[in-house]
Amino acid sequence: MTDTTNKFGMFIHWGFYAQLGLQEQAYARYDIPREEYEALKDTFNPVDYDPEKWVLLAKNAGMKYITFTTKHHDGFCMWNTAYTDYNIMNTPYGKDVLKELADACHKHGMLLSLYYSNPDWHHPYSYNPASSHQWKAVNKEEVKLDVYVQFIKDQMTELLTNYGPIYTMFWDINPYVEDKSINELARKLQPDILINDRGFDTGDFSTPEREYAPTPNSARFTRMTEACNSLGVQSWGYREREDFYSLKHIMSSIDRIMAMGGSYLLNVGPDAKGVITDEYADRLRRVGDWYNRMEGCLVGHESDTFDYGVRGENCLVTRKNGKRYFHFPDGISSTAVTFKNMPEMPKKVRLMNTGDELESGMELLPEFFNGATGKPDSLLFHVRGIPVDELCLEPIVIEMTF
């Protein structure tokens, strides 16, 4: 492992299920007959697929890597695999979409990560009674997990040999069966790879999904962590009538997770033609606009454990290049922020959201008073003039230069 820096990345859930416009697990959630669902392979022809557009969309949003679903729970493989005919080469499209994406990533300096589902609703011996998401397993009568594990190893060898450097491996759905030889194979093929904790051993990093509980001020992950969420509430894959999270909800989650030292994967679901539609892309651009205004303060930082005594706000504090960053993932409640403790006076206080310098200094503030005397006890460090109403849809980040 050579790179443990927290990063912002794009998650892409895409498969022939996009033709339904329902959800990536539509086969199970809508109880579609097997013959009808698997016949979608014969009509999948994403003629407008242009991976360079995906990569540039991610890059312009400040993202550094893309995690692509090579195989989801339905077992359909989005690359040229020799170990099952149930793959992208046997569709009307007939081309290796993963290879095309890998080439685009390498061209534009984007890291590539791979997602692989442990459940497989097509393989005859994938049924694992110890795990979950086994609803559509093709054969629940005969457990031959060793046969399926060999299938996984064979496919891992393809994925980690034929597509250049791979940044991370994202296993999905914990099998609750230990077999360290699988990740050992991955590291043999890609010595610098980072592996998540949803596979056949604990891997290198944790993967909280969707929501993550608020934490105390300046808390930090004790283990390498990559959180993930989708722009859509109902689906990770393309859904025609999707419900979308608010931009504030998504940006607040990114700010909180990354200020705690984690990476963040934000998911989009391309449609059946291979297009990240405007309703997804426009939201991603707006998130990227906020993220880029943070000027890199969310990555490569250190924790700052000094007790600044921030009054009345949820605040996470980080340090980077001699500067301190005060993250308010939930926004702030007024046009000012007050600090009870300050180790030294900052030379400059700047609002990252706008780039503007803020008025600040030590003041007696009448609202913070001693109940016995009716007078303020001490000077407080006061940062004022924050345009909270204009920034009500964004987390707020304040930079102090000392």
Side-chain angles (χ1 to χ4, degrees):
M1 298 183 296
T2 60
D3 187 353
T4 58
T5 303
N6 57 317
K7 292 180 174 64
F8 185 30
M10 177 187 278
F11 210 171
I12 298 175
H13 276 66
W14 192 44
F16 66 39
Y17 48 74
Q19 294 173 95
L20 299 171
L22 295 172
Q23 207 226 25
E24 75 285 349
Q25 297 183 43
Y27 180 24
R29 304 295 174 93
Y30 292 84
D31 199 23
I32 300 170
R34 179 176 296 276
E35 296 77 12
E36 179 182 332
Y37 182 80
E38 294 193 348
L40 290 170
K41 170 177 71 68
D42 300 325
T43 55
F44 189 45
N45 190 19
V47 292
D48 294 331
Y49 173 54
D50 184 347
E52 277 203 66
K53 289 184 178 179
W54 293 8
V55 172
L56 292 175
L57 178 65
K59 190 169 185 176
N60 290 336
M63 294 168 160
K64 301 300 183 185
Y65 68 113
I66 288 176
T67 301
F68 180 72
T69 49
T70 63
K71 183 193 77 165
H72 208 262
H73 309 334
D74 61 7
F76 183 76
C77 298
M78 296 288 283
W79 80 96
N80 184 10
T81 176
Y83 295 97
T84 176
D85 293 335
Y86 198 49
N87 70 67
I88 189 67
M89 305 305 292
N90 297 309
T91 67
Y93 188 71
K95 291 181 284 187
D96 189 336
V97 296
L98 176 59
K99 180 64 166 61
E100 294 174 315
L101 177 60
D103 289 346
C105 284
H106 300 150
K107 176 180 177 180
H108 293 285
M110 183 71 63
L111 297 170
L112 177 64
S113 296
L114 304 180
Y115 165 111
Y116 188 95
S117 168
N118 291 314
D120 186 320
W121 299 335
H122 183 81
H123 191 282
Y125 298 116
S126 66
Y127 179 59
N128 178 6
S131 186
S132 65
H133 291 66
Q134 306 294 307
W135 313 300
K136 288 287 187 175
V138 67
N139 177 15
K140 295 184 180 180
E141 306 302 319
E142 194 173 9
V143 177
K144 288 187 177 180
L145 201 56
D146 57 331
V147 175
Y148 181 55
V149 165
Q150 185 57 53
F151 173 77
I152 292 174
K153 288 182 177 180
D154 290 338
Q155 292 205 312
M156 282 302 102
T157 300
E158 291 178 328
L159 289 170
L160 300 181
T161 301
N162 299 334
Y163 299 93
I166 302 301
Y167 176 49
T168 64
M169 187 72 217
F170 192 114
W171 301 108
D172 198 17
I173 310 300
N174 195 318
Y176 296 105
V177 174
E178 184 174 88
D179 187 340
K180 294 185 177 182
S181 67
I182 299 175
N183 282 347
E184 287 171 358
L185 172 63
R187 293 191 179 95
K188 179 180 178 182
L189 296 170
Q190 295 270 345
D192 293 330
I193 199 168
L194 298 168
I195 303 172
N196 79 347
D197 61 352
R198 301 188 190 185
F200 287 79
D201 64 43
T202 55
D204 303 309
F205 62 90
S206 301
T207 48
E209 184 171 317
R210 288 290 191 185
E211 305 309 324
Y212 195 86
T215 57
N217 290 0
S218 298
R220 196 170 180 88
F221 292 114
T222 56
R223 189 182 194 219
M224 197 190 317
T225 297
E226 176 191 69
C228 59
N229 204 349
S230 183
L231 287 168
V233 177
Q234 300 296 334
S235 178
W236 295 76
Y238 175 68
R239 179 173 167 83
E240 288 180 352
R241 300 176 62 201
E242 183 60 289
D243 306 324
F244 290 96
Y245 285 110
S246 71
L247 294 171
K248 174 65 182 301
H249 181 84
I250 292 295
M251 289 186 285
S252 294
S253 181
I254 294 168
D255 187 51
R256 179 176 291 108
I257 293 295
M258 296 193 71
M260 292 169 61
S263 291
Y264 200 95
L265 267 182
L266 183 58
N267 180 78
V268 296
D271 69 10
K273 292 183 178 180
V275 175
I276 299 175
T277 62
D278 288 344
E279 59 184 352
Y280 289 87
D282 288 347
R283 284 176 170 82
L284 184 61
R285 290 187 188 100
R286 291 171 71 183
V287 172
D289 171 67
W290 166 82
Y291 183 82
N292 287 327
R293 281 184 273 126
M294 296 301 105
E295 299 178 10
C297 75
L298 285 163
V299 301
H301 50 69
E302 299 174 338
S303 179
D304 188 332
T305 58
F306 182 82
D307 180 11
Y308 291 89
V310 181
R311 293 296 188 101
E313 310 288 357
N314 178 32
C315 180
L316 294 159
V317 189
T318 62
R319 304 166 68 104
K320 182 178 179 180
N321 297 332
K323 299 178 180 180
R324 295 164 197 175
Y325 295 90
F326 297 82
H327 299 261
F328 300 89
D330 304 313
I332 57 176
S333 56
S334 79
T335 59
V337 179
T338 304
F339 303 80
K340 183 179 180 181
N341 308 312
M342 192 60 63
E344 57 182 309
M345 287 301 99
K347 297 176 182 177
K348 182 179 179 180
V349 179
R350 188 167 69 110
L351 180 61
M352 297 297 291
N353 302 66
T354 63
D356 295 333
E357 190 167 348
L358 295 170
E359 181 183 343
S360 63
M362 301 299 293
E363 294 186 47
L364 281 175
L365 298 172
E367 186 60 22
F368 299 106
F369 63 92
N370 184 313
T373 67
K375 297 185 294 185
D377 279 334
S378 61
L379 296 168
L380 299 174
F381 188 72
H382 192 220
V383 177
R384 62 181 305 278
I386 303 168
V388 289
D389 295 318
E390 290 84 347
L391 300 176
C392 62
L393 296 180
E394 299 182 3
I396 287 173
V397 181
I398 295 173
E399 175 193 78
M400 293 190 189
T401 303
F402 291 84

